[in-house]
Amino acid sequence: GLCIAYYEQPELVHAILQTIGDMVVRVLERVSAAIPIDVLCVHEDMAGNLGPLAGPSQVREFIVPYYRRVWEMLAGRGTRLFEQDSDGNMCPVVDDFLDAGVTVMFPMESRAGMDIVRLRQQYGTRLAFKGGIDKFCLTAGPEAIRRELEYKIPPMVRTGGCVLSLDHRIPNGTPLAHYRYYISTVWELLEESAADLRG
């Protein structure tokens, strides 16, 4: 319904967002006056495996102004991170969400095309990540686990700005031995990568 309303009822969508935005600003003004807010986190879930449910022009019109209003108020009061949680492939709209103030995206779903190594090369330190490890490597076994971790851990440790974790819950049916191998390999590669940094 919302995807159609962007085109057929834009005034209604703006009215809804304005109402929500007014409430959020009023609440967060009061909260941030009493205690410091470290992180603004929005759970959006606005993408599937093939891409976002709203394209760049819809994000720029219907999301960016409302995000920016809240973010600029909180950033002015010392908030440092603006996190957005969405599964799926957000690649076509990452630039627009950066313009909205987003600084961290998660869970960076690998099978949907959210390759944190490639995205780090593209965006540098403008965008930080949480997640990014393909959860399905756990069911595939030790070779797939090591391949996934060797590809992602060393470059992300080198560049920082990433909390490495699975890109969603542990898949049902994952053998305990695979999970234990995953944990031990993570620690092995983290320690090697940290030692390389210390040089």
Side-chain angles (χ1 to χ4, degrees), residues 37-104:
I37 296 176
D38 297 320
V39 182
L40 170 64
C41 188
V42 178
H43 294 266
E44 203 69 80
D45 262 356
M46 59 161 292
N49 285 343
L50 300 180
L53 301 176
S57 62
Q58 287 77 39
V59 171
R60 286 192 293 270
E61 178 179 355
F62 295 100
I63 298 177
V64 169
Y66 303 98
Y67 269 33
R68 283 219 69 86
R69 179 182 174 204
V70 176
W71 174 241
E72 287 171 1
M73 183 270 294
L74 285 179
R77 297 180 177 206
T79 303
R80 296 179 56 207
L81 299 174
F82 183 177
E83 296 183 343
Q84 184 199 50
D85 173 7
S86 179
D87 295 331
N89 185 342
M90 293 286 284
C91 289
V93 292
V94 168
D95 288 297
D96 302 296
F97 280 104
L98 286 172
D99 289 343
V102 169
T103 59
V104 182

Side-chain angles (χ1 to χ4, degrees), residues 36-194:
I37 296 176
D38 297 320
V39 182
L40 170 64
C41 188
V42 178
H43 294 266
E44 203 69 80
D45 262 356
M46 59 161 292
N49 285 343
L50 300 180
L53 301 176
S57 62
Q58 287 77 39
V59 171
R60 286 192 293 270
E61 178 179 355
F62 295 100
I63 298 177
V64 169
Y66 303 98
Y67 269 33
R68 283 219 69 86
R69 179 182 174 204
V70 176
W71 174 241
E72 287 171 1
M73 183 270 294
L74 285 179
R77 297 180 177 206
T79 303
R80 296 179 56 207
L81 299 174
F82 183 177
E83 296 183 343
Q84 184 199 50
D85 173 7
S86 179
D87 295 331
N89 185 342
M90 293 286 284
C91 289
V93 292
V94 168
D95 288 297
D96 302 296
F97 280 104
L98 286 172
D99 289 343
V102 169
T103 59
V104 182
M105 296 183 107
F106 65 97
M108 308 307 289
E109 194 174 0
S110 298
R111 293 287 173 102
M114 299 298 283
D115 182 330
I116 57 175
V117 175
R118 184 180 56 76
L119 288 165
R120 172 50 47 82
Q121 291 167 350
Q122 183 175 353
Y123 292 103
T125 56
R126 289 179 62 208
L127 182 62
F129 314 115
K130 288 164 54 176
I133 304 294
D134 183 2
K135 60 187 170 289
F136 292 112
C137 75
L138 294 183
T139 57
E143 287 184 15
I145 292 169
R146 180 164 287 276
R147 188 166 52 249
E148 173 74 0
L149 298 178
E150 285 180 344
Y151 170 61
K152 291 183 176 168
I153 288 178
M156 299 314 294
V157 169
R158 254 192 324 272
T159 57
C162 184
V163 177
L164 291 162
S165 66
L166 293 176
D167 58 7
H168 218 284
R169 291 185 293 270
I170 299 167
N172 291 337
T174 297
L176 180 58
H178 290 189
Y179 184 72
R180 286 178 169 158
Y181 181 80
Y182 161 73
I183 293 296
S184 65
T185 306
V186 165
W187 281 113
E188 171 195 331
L189 294 172
L190 284 173
E191 288 169 5
E192 287 177 5
S193 298

Side-chain angles (χ1 to χ4, degrees), residues 22-35 37 39-40 70-71 73-74 77:
D22 289 345
M23 179 202 64
V24 169
V25 166
R26 282 200 304 271
V27 169
L28 292 180
E29 279 178 338
R30 290 181 66 183
V31 171
S32 61
I35 59 168
I37 296 176
V39 182
L40 170 64
V70 176
W71 174 241
M73 183 270 294
L74 285 179
R77 297 180 177 206

